Amino acid sequence: MRFLRTLLFPLVALTSLALARSSTGDTVLVLLEPSLKKENFSIFFGDLEKKGYKLTFRSPKDTTPEIIKDDVAQFAHVVVFAPETKTFAGDITPQTLVSLLSKKTNLLLALSPKQTPLSSLAAEFTLILPPPGTPLISHFPKRDTPATVVPVEPPRAHHIISDGLAPVWFSGVPQALGNSPMLVPLLQAPPQAFASDADSDSGADALVEAAEKSGEGLWAGSSLSLVTGFQALSNARATWVGGIEIFSDEYINKEISKGVKSGNRQFVKDVAAWTFQEANVLRIDTVEHHRVNETLPRETYTINNQVTYTAYISQYDPELDLWEPYSGINDLQLEFTMLDPHIRTSLPPVAGEPGKYSVSFRVPDRHGVFKFNVDYKRKGWSYLSSTTVVPIVPPRHDEYPRFLSAAWPYYAGAFSTSAAFLLFVALWLAGDEREPKKGKGSKAE
Amino acid sequence: MVGPLSWLLASLAVLAVQASVLTLQSPRLTVSSSDAAQLRSEPLSLAHKVTPPVELRATDTLKLTFQIVDEDGKGVQPHQTFVRFYDEVTGEEGIQPVKVTAGGKAKLELNMARPPSSLPPSGKDPIKVSLYLGSFKHDPAQYELFDLFVPPSQPPAQHADEVFFHPRPEIFHTFRPEQKVPPKFVSAVFTLLLAAPWVVLLGLLAHIGPQVPYLFSSGIFPFIATLGAFEGLLVWYWVDLHLGQVLLYGAILSIPTAIAGKRALAAVGERRLGKSSPK
């Protein structure tokens, strides 16, 4: 297998440098509202098509192609570039978009300062949007673009966004994040930025009053997120982007400073790669369990047995379209549960065997129906979960300790009885009658 | 005439915009306690942070006053006058807008008895306080003012599911202690005690001196042997066999035992009859 891969990789690399496939499918439906032109996003869509995605374009008010037909999702991914659309066709409602997530379809949604059905859907994902009409503005750094077009430093040392990117041009709404752990912030606002509808200095008093209002007050600072990912329990990913211009050709080609292009192109490529299940995608291939000195699993295990549990985990490699064994998880945990976890122990990777995680432990001395439970959730990575039910029985009558030292007197007694019986039978059957000896004290007379 | 003049005016305007920088005039920091006693009062420097860091107790009040002026010395009210509280270690941040009058006079009051909601949750680490001035007409300016120590607060509320996103504490099962076995010496003593009747038996037998002349005769020996085999089967059952197996083997073995037993009894009977019938 490795030999084939060393042959295959240069061939694949020669054919297409940027071929990167999604692990869940290539079909993408792009809902592009009529006021936006496809040509203005040609670089973004072109990059997606070069990677191998098949894009289908549709206006939000058209009725075909449907996103869900006969309760089956028709596309692997849906891009909703309809930030100012107030009415959608019948098959696009907040409920159908959420049901797409449970059907493992990924979503990429763009917002705008206008109030639309999408803004109320964002609240369901614990994203708190500012009042309508208040986009993000920043007076820092001094630049020739208007205050609503903000250069944002991309995050450093982030496991989704590439390192070393130039600042990214952004314009749109910031989102305040709820504390749901399923949210994955991908681009935080600069600390000097805030949401405001003003276009002159006279709006200063309104800002102070907004902050003194109880409730959300003022949307400001680096705790705001501009591009937020959300990973649902079904492992489908939904990314909310505060403004659609971040994908546009104009922003991709705009220079951050003299001669330095913006980081928009690579940034939106990374965002799309994460959203469309190319990057950071894990799965459990198989799990095994057996007694320590055996290789095959058993129907039941006995209390106090030493049992080994093994999980094989792979990561999706988008360039080769393969699932490769992955040993990089060092905080995986196994729970041995009957109603409550009786044992929770770490499941470390086995050195020398990629993708294999194994642990041996002693089964508790309670019998019952237990399950091996692996439940791994980390921000930005696919959720791993596996449950294997196994009954634990008490020892059979002949599995208890035998030949105890406390029983020696009993062994001696039993053997004595057998030996004495055999001796008596031999004496009685084989012995001879003898005349009593004429000796002292005999009653011979 | 209009052409070059407008060009001149435009360039002057551009120069004017480029040169409009905001600065702070007479920035002052005051820390006073709950009984209005001034603990600390000093002017702030814009070039470097104030040392030592400002420490506020639970009843102190921090007052920050300054005036924002442009390069002509005229007071301005910029669009954005924000004070940022930032804890570098936890990453918590809070933004507080400062009330500025039309003449540029600004005052921020931080009363620890009723802390503002913009003060982020903090622990023992200092909160970095900075000031941001942003305006549509003037260039932006930001200043690092001072480090602030406040009494530690409650940590921010966590989502119920947050626990599942981190390694959880390990759980170990407490096993029942191993069953205790009495000391082997005691078992040995009692085994020896069990040997005592054998001593008596063997001694008495030696005294009697029995003889077994017919032991290896063809009538008696098979029966003794099959009885021995039965004892052997029982020992084998004790060590290894299951009930079903021992019952099967025992049933098979009982047939020769019964035959041999009948022959043995017949032999003994014949012996007795042979003896008693006078010849």
Side-chain angles (χ1 to χ4, degrees):
Chain A
M1 194 58 209
R2 285 191 115 207
F3 178 59
L4 277 174
R5 266 195 52 205
T6 52
L7 271 185
L8 200 63
F9 186 59
L11 250 102
V12 170
L14 281 172
T15 50
S16 162
L17 275 167
L19 188 69
R21 315 294 293 277
S22 156
S23 58
T24 50
D26 294 337
T27 50
V28 183
L29 176 68
V30 182
L31 292 171
L32 197 61
E33 66 181 14
S35 58
L36 295 169
K37 293 202 196 6
K38 190 166 128 181
E39 299 76 43
N40 290 348
F41 301 94
S42 61
I43 300 180
F44 174 60
F45 291 137
D47 281 343
L48 283 182
E49 282 176 342
K50 253 192 276 184
K51 276 197 206 171
Y53 290 101
K54 299 177 190 31
L55 303 178
T56 312
F57 289 86
R58 172 189 154 181
S59 161
K61 293 221 176 57
D62 287 346
T63 46
T64 56
E66 295 175 0
I67 52 175
I68 299 182
K69 198 163 166 178
D70 299 330
D71 211 24
V72 173
Q74 299 292 311
F75 295 90
H77 318 285
V78 175
V79 174
V80 183
F81 278 176
E84 297 182 354
T85 309
K86 293 223 203 276
T87 50
F88 288 83
D91 67 324
I92 303 170
T93 63
Q95 290 78 9
T96 55
L97 288 176
V98 169
S99 71
L100 272 183
L101 283 181
S102 47
K103 294 185 197 322
K104 306 208 177 168
T105 304
N106 306 301
L107 299 176
L108 180 61
L109 305 117
L111 295 166
S112 77
K114 288 215 174 71
Q115 172 99 10
T116 61
L118 284 183
S119 355
S120 21
L121 181 60
E124 300 296 327
F125 288 76
T126 65
L127 295 174
I128 307 158
L129 296 180
T134 53
L136 184 81
I137 69 172
S138 175
H139 298 293
F140 295 74
K142 179 168 153 52
R143 57 194 186 276
D144 351 321
T145 61
T148 48
V149 179
V150 181
V152 184
E153 283 278 337
R156 304 271 163 238
H158 199 276
H159 55 294
I160 297 171
I161 306 295
S162 321
D163 218 1
L165 289 184
V168 168
W169 288 111
F170 175 84
S171 108
V173 287
Q175 304 117 30
L177 300 179
N179 58 2
S180 166
M182 297 184 184
L183 288 173
V184 182
L186 297 173
L187 186 67
Q188 309 267 142
Q192 307 94 346
F194 58 101
S196 164
D197 54 357
D199 53 359
S200 74
D201 280 357
S202 52
D205 290 327
L207 276 179
V208 179
E209 276 162 24
E212 281 164 14
K213 242 194 322 199
S214 62
E216 292 311 324
L218 181 69
W219 274 254
S222 62
S223 55
L224 296 177
S225 173
L226 306 174
V227 177
T228 319
F230 184 91
Q231 180 154 300
L233 283 176
S234 63
N235 273 334
R237 293 171 174 168
T239 304
W240 291 86
V241 184
I244 195 164
E245 289 85 355
I246 200 175
F247 297 98
S248 64
D249 290 354
E250 183 201 332
Y251 279 34
I252 289 177
N253 292 325
K254 210 178 170 79
E255 285 186 348
I256 282 286
S257 55
K258 208 133 187 66
V260 177
K261 250 188 148 171
S262 69
N264 280 53
R265 186 169 186 179
Q266 185 59 39
F267 179 80
V268 298
K269 262 171 104 167
D270 291 338
V271 168
W274 183 78
T275 309
F276 296 160
Q277 306 273 0
E278 286 175 41
N280 293 21
V281 180
L282 298 171
R283 72 171 185 198
I284 299 183
D285 291 325
T286 44
V287 298
E288 288 171 359
H289 54 86
H290 54 82
R291 276 198 201 166
V292 165
N293 291 325
E294 299 171 7
T295 47
L296 290 177
R298 282 173 171 244
E299 292 268 334
T300 67
Y301 294 104
T302 313
I303 66 175
N304 290 324
N305 271 170
Q306 292 285 347
V307 168
T308 304
Y309 178 86
T310 312
Y312 295 92
I313 294 180
S314 327
Q315 185 184 22
Y316 181 71
D317 184 339
E319 273 144 41
L320 296 176
D321 196 12
L322 285 176
W323 290 88
E324 292 193 337
Y326 178 69
S327 283
I329 306 177
N330 47 19
D331 53 356
L332 191 58
Q333 284 184 315
L334 169 73
E335 285 177 4
F336 197 57
T337 310
M338 174 165 70
L339 303 178
D340 286 317
H342 284 238
I343 291 179
R344 188 184 295 133
T345 175
S346 73
L347 195 59
V350 174
E353 297 196 43
K356 182 172 173 183
Y357 297 77
S358 181
V359 72
S360 300
F361 61 95
R362 184 173 160 197
V363 171
D365 52 9
R366 311 191 91 158
H367 56 270
V369 178
F370 281 80
K371 42 183 199 202
F372 292 104
N373 200 15
V374 170
D375 183 18
Y376 182 74
K377 290 191 174 106
R378 296 290 180 268
K379 261 196 214 273
W381 293 88
S382 317
Y383 303 140
L384 295 174
S385 81
S386 151
T387 312
T388 314
V389 173
V390 65
I392 303 293
V393 293
R396 288 205 325 255
H397 66 285
D398 56 356
E399 287 175 354
Y400 286 94
R402 301 182 72 176
F403 313 120
L404 308 168
S405 69
W408 288 345
Y410 303 96
Y411 303 151
F415 278 113
S416 300
T417 310
S418 299
F421 171 67
L422 217 52
L423 183 65
F424 171 74
V425 167
L427 283 176
W428 192 79
L429 284 179
D432 201 2
E433 287 184 7
R434 282 183 299 177
E435 300 299 325
K437 272 207 285 221
K438 291 198 170 76
K440 50 177 177 178
S442 69
K443 292 181 162 186
E445 190 57 50
Chain B
M1 262 314 272
V2 184
L5 189 61
S6 64
W7 175 86
L8 193 64
L9 280 171
S11 61
L12 277 173
V14 164
L15 282 171
V17 166
Q18 277 182 342
S20 72
V21 176
L22 295 172
T23 51
L24 299 183
Q25 201 176 63
S26 53
R28 195 161 191 87
L29 166 76
T30 310
V31 177
S32 49
S33 64
S34 52
D35 51 1
Q38 259 198 9
L39 299 170
R40 187 169 163 173
S41 173
E42 60 199 66
L44 287 175
S45 155
L46 299 178
H48 52 84
K49 270 206 271 205
V50 168
T51 53
V54 178
E55 286 192 24
L56 284 183
R57 293 167 311 190
T59 50
D60 293 345
T61 306
L62 171 80
K63 240 192 287 249
L64 189 64
T65 54
F66 51 88
Q67 188 183 20
I68 305 168
V69 294
D70 62 8
E71 73 282 352
D72 296 329
K74 204 162 71 77
V76 283
Q77 184 194 34
H79 184 220
Q80 173 189 22
T81 314
F82 287 171
V83 167
R84 178 197 191 211
F85 300 105
Y86 180 54
D87 182 341
E88 257 187 349
V89 171
T90 61
E92 297 282 338
E93 187 192 70
I95 305 275
Q96 175 68 42
V98 182
K99 228 178 172 55
V100 181
T101 65
K105 289 210 173 30
K107 185 164 97 152
L108 173 73
E109 197 167 308
L110 192 68
N111 187 351
M112 284 313 293
R114 261 172 320 182
S117 55
S118 60
L119 195 62
S122 58
K124 296 190 312 296
D125 301 298
I127 297 177
K128 292 190 174 348
V129 181
S130 10
L131 177 68
Y132 296 137
L133 300 175
S135 163
F136 287 97
K137 294 200 286 271
H138 311 273
D139 294 349
Q142 65 182 46
Y143 305 104
E144 297 271 336
L145 294 179
F146 50 88
D147 284 349
L148 182 65
F149 282 94
V150 288
S153 70
Q154 294 271 23
Q158 250 193 1
H159 195 270
D161 289 341
E162 183 72 39
V163 184
F164 298 101
F165 282 73
H166 302 278
R168 301 177 71 186
E170 298 206 349
I171 300 178
F172 302 97
H173 182 89
T174 353
F175 289 90
R176 259 179 246 122
E178 292 278 334
Q179 280 202 317
K180 278 205 308 239
V181 183
K184 293 200 177 156
F185 175 70
V186 174
S187 308
V189 162
F190 281 93
T191 311
L192 282 178
L193 266 174
L194 268 146
W198 274 105
V199 172
V200 173
L201 177 66
L202 291 175
L204 290 174
L205 277 180
H207 183 70
I208 299 176
Q211 286 166 327
V212 280
Y214 299 108
L215 184 58
F216 293 105
S217 66
S218 63
I220 305 294
F221 185 69
F223 181 58
I224 308 289
T226 46
L227 273 189
F230 244 110
E231 297 295 340
L233 178 69
L234 284 177
V235 172
W236 190 19
Y237 174 44
W238 177 55
V239 176
D240 197 24
L241 289 180
H242 290 296
L243 184 65
Q245 290 166 309
V246 74
L247 287 180
L248 179 68
Y249 300 159
I252 296 170
L253 195 56
S254 62
I255 297 168
T257 312
I259 298 171
K262 284 194 75 162
R263 283 184 57 188
L265 282 178
V268 168
E270 258 178 44
R271 249 203 341 257
R272 287 237 184 94
L273 285 173
K275 271 232 166 93
S276 66
S277 70
K279 218 21 176 236

